[in-house]
Amino acid sequence: MKVLVAVKRVVDYNVKIRVKSDQTGVETQNVKMSMNPFDEIAVEEGVRLKEAGTADELIAVSIGPSQSQETIRTALAMGADRGILVETDADVEPLGVAKCLKALVDKESPDLVIVGKQAIDDDSSQTGQMLSALLGWSQGTYASKLALDGDTLNVTREVDGGLETVALKMPVIVTADLRLNEPRYASLPNIMKAKKKPIDTTTPDELGVDVAPRLTIVSVTEPPKRDAGVMVEDVAQLVDKLRNEAKVI
Ligand code: AMP
């Protein structure tokens, strides 16, 4: 089985996000960038399928600027076999990403595509679903467990208040949720080995994909600042403030 995973370069989850002064997006200059956390989970699942002997090849794909190579290298250090960079400096929306991934699926013919459930920079949660629609493949979204049984993939999904298991005929698109697995840290020897693994580079143009934006961002704003709290001396004062200042009781 051949598995393709999508890995996006995003602002590191530990970085405090700053909105650009012109409110067109978030600041990405001089900010630490890393692999989208849900994509680490997607890569880990692919590596586990390889280790179990279920998958024989794992390909990591990223769409973005040349620095996205580093994100692909991280996937290679975790255990992916090779990478494909679709190089562009444009801000590619989920539909553009899904079209690039479709073009690569048509070329590479994987049996399974695993993407993250959402990119933590745009929070769209759309790419996997759009790719499934473009390919006409089944989708198992918000996956917390995968179990392959012949040509059926049983996907346990995180749904409101519980879990749902769906049986999907391969080929399948999976979007990885938080509890699917705990991604490994790449070891130093594996980081060194990853430097020798191949990364092919292509462009949206070469894939015949138009990634021009379809959406206009009207504005991006920071959440309202919270007022500082006050210490009250006793319960009586608290009740008094709640009744007479906040007027909530
Ligand atoms: P989104 O629909 O933007 O929330 O992204 C969902 C998932 O699609 C991500 O977790 C990635 O696995 C994949 N994805 C989105 N954008 C890209 C990109 N530029 N390059 C590679 N994968 C991406």
Side-chain angles (χ1 to χ4, degrees):
M1 181 167 85
K2 193 165 171 179
V3 182
L4 196 141
V5 286
V7 293
K8 185 176 188 186
R9 178 176 184 265
V10 297
V11 174
D12 187 272
Y13 72 95
N14 282 310
V15 169
K16 189 174 179 314
I17 298 288
R18 275 176 300 121
V19 171
K20 283 189 195 161
S21 52
D22 63 2
Q23 298 196 329
T24 55
V26 297
E27 202 55 76
T28 53
Q29 296 294 317
N30 304 319
V31 168
K32 181 171 185 245
M33 306 291 281
S34 301
M35 185 189 296
N36 183 47
F38 295 107
D39 303 353
E40 290 181 353
I41 296 172
V43 175
E44 175 66 33
E45 199 61 21
V47 175
R48 289 187 188 190
L49 287 169
K50 268 197 72 182
E51 287 172 344
T54 312
D56 37 41
E57 191 178 26
L58 179 62
I59 308 167
V61 177
S62 193
I63 295 109
S66 61
Q67 295 93 318
S68 306
Q69 283 219 10
E70 294 158 21
T71 315
I72 296 176
R73 285 275 168 229
T74 306
L76 298 178
M78 287 174 73
D81 298 295
R82 62 187 170 97
I84 305 175
L85 170 65
V86 182
E87 193 170 344
T88 171
D89 286 326
D91 269 340
V92 187
E93 292 169 356
L95 182 59
V97 173
K99 286 180 176 173
C100 291
L101 291 174
K102 177 182 184 299
L104 292 175
V105 167
D106 289 345
K107 249 177 154 165
E108 296 284 349
S109 311
D111 306 282
L112 173 65
V113 177
I114 315 178
V115 303
K117 75 159 180 179
Q118 117 192 31
I120 62 164
D121 52 359
D122 61 20
D123 276 343
S124 297
S125 201
Q126 295 172 354
T127 305
Q129 292 84 338
M130 286 177 167
L131 179 60
S132 152
L134 291 172
L135 287 165
W137 289 14
S138 308
Q139 56 179 319
T141 51
Y142 310 108
S144 63
K145 189 173 168 216
L146 305 185
L148 189 66
D149 178 11
D151 67 346
T152 300
L153 186 68
N154 294 305
V155 180
T156 303
R157 309 182 53 237
E158 305 248 344
V159 292
D160 263 358
L163 299 171
E164 174 190 65
T165 301
V166 289
L168 306 172
K169 279 268 165 290
M170 299 286 277
V172 168
I173 313 282
V174 165
T175 78
D177 211 324
L178 198 62
R179 275 168 281 268
L180 183 59
N181 59 50
E182 245 182 66
R184 70 196 62 194
Y185 289 104
S187 65
L188 193 57
N190 286 344
I191 293 173
M192 299 313 285
K193 266 192 232 157
K195 290 186 199 280
K196 295 210 183 80
K197 294 185 180 175
I199 299 180
D200 285 337
T201 302
T202 181
T203 62
D205 267 0
E206 280 174 11
L207 295 175
V209 175
D210 173 11
V211 292
R214 309 285 181 100
L215 308 173
T216 308
I217 294 176
V218 179
S219 80
V220 177
T221 53
E222 291 195 6
K225 296 241 176 329
R226 288 176 61 182
D227 292 335
V230 285
M231 294 294 285
V232 290
E233 290 190 350
D234 50 27
V235 173
Q237 194 184 10
L238 173 66
V239 171
D240 177 63
K241 280 185 178 296
L242 289 173
R243 181 167 296 142
N244 300 316
E245 281 182 31
K247 297 194 180 356
V248 290
I249 56 171

